[in-house]
């Protein structure tokens, strides 16, 4: 009964219009495959006097497509709200194609502005030759992931330390690099504080014996 109701829905509208009509996507319960989502087109077939004889309807099962779209949207939401910065850029031109909201917030750029940039614009202390050397193992296939530390430049010119993990995805055509970037400012600050505690007297702020020994070894 549910299937019959689905396939007769909007028949009067189609007959009244006399033209091809797109029927809204609706779920329908099937006997063997459970609930499926169908996209349907209907058109009235008329005789030589223009009187409708019957309706021709064609339904396309778009269940898998809708599920893939939903999964893609969900993945996009997850990446956008990730604590890490996500960058996708062309393996050919190196121009950014997509970045998540975390990256846009931290860098201060809009997505349109980012699409005019490459990783070299964000890493002023990394030259083109040095960057190509970093990603060459991914291009050659000798490594699946490369990880390195860098300093990214925000739109306002300020720099912050990051840890970068890069992968080359051949699932896309053309291939793209996928970068996961973690802001390690807090970690660097903690390392600096620990280093100072290890080498300076906490009361006077003067260098301690440990720092003196380190400097002496360097001098020797």
């Amino acid at each position: 009964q549910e299937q019959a109701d689905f396939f007769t829905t909007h028949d009067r509208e189609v007959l009244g219009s006399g033209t091809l009509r797109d029927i809204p996507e609706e779920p329908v319960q099937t006997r063997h495959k459970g609930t499926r989502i169908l996209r349907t087109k209907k058109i009235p077939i008329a005789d030589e006097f223009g009187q409708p004889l019957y309706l021709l309807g064609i339904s396309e099962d778009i269940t898998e497509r809708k599920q893939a779209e939903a999964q893609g949207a969900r993945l996009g939401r997850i990446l956008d709200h990730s604590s890490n910065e996500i960058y996708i850029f062309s393996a050919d031109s190196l121009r950014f194609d997509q970045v998540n909201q975390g990256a846009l917030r931290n860098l201060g750029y809009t997505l349109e502005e980012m699409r005019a940039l490459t990783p070299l614009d964000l890493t002023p202390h990394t030259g083109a030759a040095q960057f190509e050397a970093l990603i060459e193992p991914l291009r050659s296939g000798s490594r699946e992931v490369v990880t390195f530390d860098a300093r990214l430049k925000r739109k306002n010119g300020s720099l912050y330390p990051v840890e970068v993990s890069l992968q080359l995805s051949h699932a896309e055509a053309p291939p793209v690099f996928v970068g996961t970037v973690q802001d390690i400012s807090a970690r660097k600050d903690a390392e600096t504080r620990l280093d100072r505690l290890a080498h300076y007297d906490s009361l006077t702020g003067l260098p301690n014996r440990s720092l003196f020994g380190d400097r002496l070894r360097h001098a020797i």
Side-chain angles (χ1 to χ4, degrees):
Q1 179 63 39
E2 187 174 347
Q3 288 176 303
D5 290 344
F6 172 81
F7 286 112
T8 58
T9 302
H10 306 288
D11 282 359
R12 291 184 180 277
E13 298 174 22
V14 178
L15 287 171
S17 69
T19 60
L20 178 69
R21 294 287 298 272
D22 286 317
I23 307 304
E25 299 167 7
E26 294 183 25
V28 60
Q29 185 68 32
T30 65
R31 180 177 299 176
H32 302 295
K33 292 188 176 182
T35 302
R36 310 296 291 179
I37 301 175
L38 301 183
R39 172 178 292 166
T40 303
K41 294 179 182 291
K42 291 184 178 181
I43 186 171
I45 305 300
D47 59 20
E48 66 266 26
F49 303 107
Q51 296 300 313
L53 294 174
Y54 53 87
L55 279 173
L56 174 63
I58 300 176
S59 292
E60 177 188 8
D61 188 337
I62 58 171
T63 307
E64 282 75 18
R65 185 195 310 170
K66 299 297 287 186
Q67 289 172 345
E69 290 173 356
Q71 289 172 353
R74 181 187 181 194
L75 178 60
R77 290 192 298 271
I78 292 171
L79 292 179
D80 259 349
H81 292 87
S82 170
S83 59
N84 292 327
E85 301 172 19
I86 310 296
Y87 299 83
I88 300 174
F89 56 97
S90 166
D92 182 27
S93 68
L94 299 183
R95 289 189 182 275
F96 291 111
D97 180 52
Q98 289 289 331
V99 298
N100 71 343
Q101 289 297 317
L104 296 178
R105 283 193 301 270
N106 214 356
L107 292 171
Y109 289 103
T110 65
L111 181 57
E112 290 71 23
E113 290 172 328
M114 286 294 297
R115 285 175 172 164
L117 304 177
T118 74
L120 296 175
D121 296 306
L122 303 183
T123 53
H125 299 106
T126 303
Q130 184 181 358
F131 187 74
E132 282 296 331
L134 286 170
I135 62 177
E136 192 281 330
L138 298 177
R139 293 192 188 276
S140 66
S142 61
R143 295 182 63 181
E144 293 185 358
V145 182
V146 294
T147 303
F148 56 91
D149 287 351
R151 291 175 68 82
L152 292 191
K153 183 179 180 180
R154 296 185 177 95
K155 186 177 181 179
N156 63 13
S158 62
L159 299 170
Y160 63 102
V162 295
E163 183 180 82
V164 182
S165 294
L166 274 183
Q167 293 177 286
L168 179 59
S169 173
H170 291 282
E172 301 295 321
V176 294
F177 285 104
V178 180
T180 304
V181 175
Q182 182 180 10
D183 185 340
I184 57 174
S185 299
R187 189 175 81 191
K188 289 294 185 182
D189 290 343
E191 289 173 357
T192 300
R193 288 195 299 271
L194 288 174
D195 181 73
R196 183 166 185 83
L197 287 173
H199 295 107
Y200 291 84
D201 183 82
S202 59
L203 181 62
T204 65
L206 296 174
N208 61 16
R209 182 179 298 179
S210 176
L211 182 60
F212 171 75
D214 179 71
R215 295 297 185 265
L216 180 60
R217 283 192 296 273
H218 280 289
I220 293 173

